Amino acid sequence: MKMKLTKSQMDKLKEHSKEHGGMNSKHMRMMKKMMEEGMSFSKAHREAMKMDDKDSKSKSKPMKGLTEKQKKLPKKLQEGIMKKKNKSTY
């Protein structure tokens, strides 16, 4: 049974959505749906992150601009390195 989210839950989701590309991102849609089904924010986030990991593993491409050693690091660290490199090019 779907429950309507409270204002504070929606505010928390909107704030969190800034880290995941907005409320229309797949991650946020999954979280909202799970919370409407009664799941807590934390549990919904963990489940959405697990699903994100499964999706990214099937779609993962090697990042250009990384050394061979950096390519062996976890995806999140690789993304951080690329962000830092992109900022320093300006």
Side-chain angles (χ1 to χ4, degrees):
M1 184 174 121
K2 277 195 171 185
M3 299 172 10
K4 187 167 172 103
L5 298 180
T6 65
K7 182 179 178 341
S8 64
Q9 286 175 313
M10 280 306 295
D11 290 345
K12 191 169 185 176
L13 278 174
K14 284 180 183 172
E15 182 65 29
H16 179 67
S17 73
K18 294 175 186 174
E19 297 175 35
H20 292 282
M23 285 299 290
N24 290 323
S25 70
K26 185 175 180 182
H27 176 88
M28 296 309 300
R29 288 191 317 267
M30 285 189 291
M31 279 190 70
K32 185 177 180 203
K33 182 180 178 198
M34 287 186 266
M35 289 175 70
E36 286 171 341
E37 292 171 356
M39 200 176 281
S40 71
F41 178 90
S42 298
K43 178 79 174 158
H45 186 252
R46 273 194 302 275
E47 293 300 314
M49 290 300 287
K50 284 180 190 175
M51 290 179 191
D52 289 348
D53 276 351
K54 287 179 186 175
D55 288 347
S56 69
K57 285 179 183 171
S58 65
K59 297 177 186 175
S60 65
K61 302 177 235 169
M63 289 192 183
K64 292 181 180 176
L66 293 175
T67 66
E68 288 304 312
K69 192 173 183 180
Q70 290 171 331
K71 288 178 185 174
K72 294 177 185 174
L73 294 171
K75 186 83 171 155
K76 291 282 182 192
L77 287 175
Q78 290 178 18
E79 289 169 359
I81 292 167
M82 292 304 293
K83 251 186 205 175
K84 201 171 189 179
K85 281 185 176 186
N86 288 339
K87 282 183 181 178
S88 65
T89 60
Y90 293 107

